[in-house]
Amino acid sequence: IECPLHQGQFDLSGVLAQLRGLGLHSLFVEAGAATASSFLAAGLADRLYLFLAPKLIGQGLDWTSGLKLPSL
């Protein structure tokens, strides 16, 4: 499939529409902070299973960093 860009970001709705057209109706997204936030902000997530690893070295990104929320 092609992954169209919209303002420098993947057009997630477009990607999901292409997958739906191929008969795929369920998708597991294993994501980091930016991708998880993008799916949530676009309203494209039906469920959220969250596993957080400890930050042992450095600052890293909070999983809500793309949502501009302190927590969820």
Side-chain angles (χ1 to χ4, degrees):
I1 67 169
E2 291 187 31
C3 297
L5 291 178
H6 178 70
Q7 297 179 353
Q9 301 291 322
F10 287 118
D11 178 4
L12 297 177
S13 294
V15 171
L16 293 179
Q18 289 183 61
L19 292 172
R20 197 170 25 257
L22 295 172
L24 186 66
H25 299 284
S26 181
L27 180 67
F28 174 81
V29 178
E30 185 173 351
T35 302
S37 294
S38 294
F39 272 90
L40 290 170
L44 298 173
D46 293 326
R47 291 184 202 120
L48 176 66
Y49 296 99
L50 184 63
F51 299 92
L52 295 176
K55 294 178 191 173
L56 300 176
I57 300 174
Q59 295 296 318
L61 293 174
D62 289 326
W63 75 274
T64 58
S65 62
L67 296 175
K68 297 177 180 57
L69 299 172
S71 65
L72 240 186

